Amino acid sequence: MNDTPVNGSLACVGIGMTLGAHLSPRTRSYIEQADVVFVLVSDGIIELWLQGMNKDVRSLQPYYQEGKSRMKTYRQMVEAMLAEVRTGKRVCGVFYGHPGVFAWVPHKAIETARSEGFPAHMEPGISSEDCLYADLGIDPGARGCQHYEASQFMLYRRCIDPSAWLILWQIGIAGDRTLKRFSTGEAHRQVLVDVLARHYPLDHEVVIYRAATLPFESPRIQRLSLATLPSAEVGMADTLAIPPARPLEADDEIRSRLAALA
């Protein structure tokens, strides 16, 4: 049982993808009222912008190092935030996009804080997924939408429905099993293509997507054939969106049962 007085608190908030455009009033309030703010965002300009909201803003970026396990990095980030919570401070962790989407650190920090008796809260934000729907004109309710992290998709057999959209996240590090790389190369993406070729023709059009993070930027929307994906320039922030490759297949038995009920 933790005998530490429950004075400290933790809030992990999302500031969305585009600088200034996606900040909610509740998220701004958490940032402004915190005793210390830890920041893990996509651009140094965003860090400077956040410094205008709080006098104690600390970047988590220095924990990243080439050749260092990302899991070790993530655990150090969690410990940095929790160390301040344990001293009784109101801590705010600021993350780009949504703090609960493809973000191990906020989930673990909140879990740890709560296990030690501290109040902890996650405030949602606009994610890259939300921007993708808007920028590519996708309604996930029209044909359905499947989402997988690219390396997980490669390492495990998944039941894919080519009549729905398929979204693969973090294709820039697709196939990395070391957790130490910030990118993988053409050979790794060729393996990804080989996996996708089980379900899609090689001439099927796919989209490399990256949400805009600064107001003067445009999103990356590059359309190409699946076969040419390995040679494309891909970064850590890029996502692969694969449109449906076949029509929806009617289930006549279920249709008949529903017709009888009508």
Side-chain angles (χ1 to χ4, degrees):
M1 189 74 175
N2 187 359
D3 296 326
T4 303
V6 183
N7 296 319
S9 64
L10 174 66
C12 290
V13 304
I15 58 168
M17 299 303 299
T18 304
L19 172 63
H22 299 161
L23 185 69
S24 72
R26 280 174 60 91
T27 291
R28 176 183 282 276
S29 177
Y30 278 115
I31 295 170
E32 292 176 341
Q33 295 179 21
D35 297 313
V36 56
V37 176
F38 288 92
V39 180
L40 189 61
V41 291
S42 57
D43 195 288
I45 296 176
I46 300 176
E47 291 188 7
L48 293 174
W49 173 65
L50 288 166
Q51 288 172 10
M53 299 184 206
N54 192 290
K55 63 183 179 181
D56 191 353
V57 174
R58 308 177 192 180
S59 176
L60 292 171
Q61 287 289 348
Y63 287 101
Y64 284 115
Q65 293 178 14
E66 190 73 41
K68 176 183 175 182
S69 169
R70 287 194 298 278
M71 188 51 62
K72 181 178 181 180
T73 295
Y74 297 157
R75 293 187 185 281
Q76 289 174 337
M77 291 177 178
V78 170
E79 181 56 31
M81 290 191 289
L82 264 295
E84 296 297 331
V85 172
R86 294 177 187 123
T87 66
K89 293 181 180 179
R90 292 171 298 178
V91 176
C92 181
V94 178
F95 302 86
Y96 66 91
H98 189 303
V101 177
F102 285 91
W104 188 89
V105 172
H107 282 292
K108 187 63 178 179
I110 288 173
E111 175 190 336
T112 303
R114 289 174 176 170
S115 72
E116 296 181 12
F118 298 103
H121 171 74
M122 179 177 287
E123 187 66 25
I126 293 176
S127 69
S128 182
E129 177 185 348
D130 301 311
C131 296
L132 179 147
Y133 292 147
D135 292 333
L136 298 187
I138 298 172
D139 179 356
R143 295 290 295 270
C145 202
Q146 309 154 98
H147 294 262
Y148 299 102
E149 194 276 331
S151 293
Q152 185 191 84
F153 176 80
M154 297 166 71
L155 293 168
Y156 297 90
R157 289 189 174 272
R158 311 305 299 255
C159 295
I160 301 304
D161 179 4
S163 69
W165 279 85
L166 174 62
I167 312 297
L168 297 180
W169 301 93
Q170 299 181 330
I171 60 169
I173 52 173
D176 175 38
R177 304 186 68 182
T178 69
L179 295 180
K180 296 180 180 180
R181 297 178 177 176
F182 292 100
S183 66
T184 51
E186 186 171 337
H188 289 80
R189 286 194 294 279
Q190 183 60 57
V191 176
L192 173 59
V193 169
D194 293 342
V195 175
L196 288 167
R198 298 171 179 169
H199 311 280
Y200 301 91
L202 289 174
D203 61 355
H204 188 59
E205 183 181 84
V206 300
V207 184
I208 297 176
Y209 173 79
R210 183 192 309 145
T213 57
L214 298 175
F216 53 81
E217 292 181 337
S218 297
R220 178 185 183 183
I221 302 175
Q222 180 182 352
R223 302 180 188 276
L224 66 165
S225 68
L226 178 59
T228 59
L229 177 63
S231 59
E233 184 177 335
V234 177
M236 279 194 70
D238 288 321
T239 299
L240 186 67
I242 304 177
R246 71 185 189 198
L248 293 169
E249 182 179 351
D251 189 326
D252 293 331
E253 178 188 353
I254 296 300
R255 289 179 177 225
S256 296
R257 289 177 61 186
L258 292 173
L261 293 174

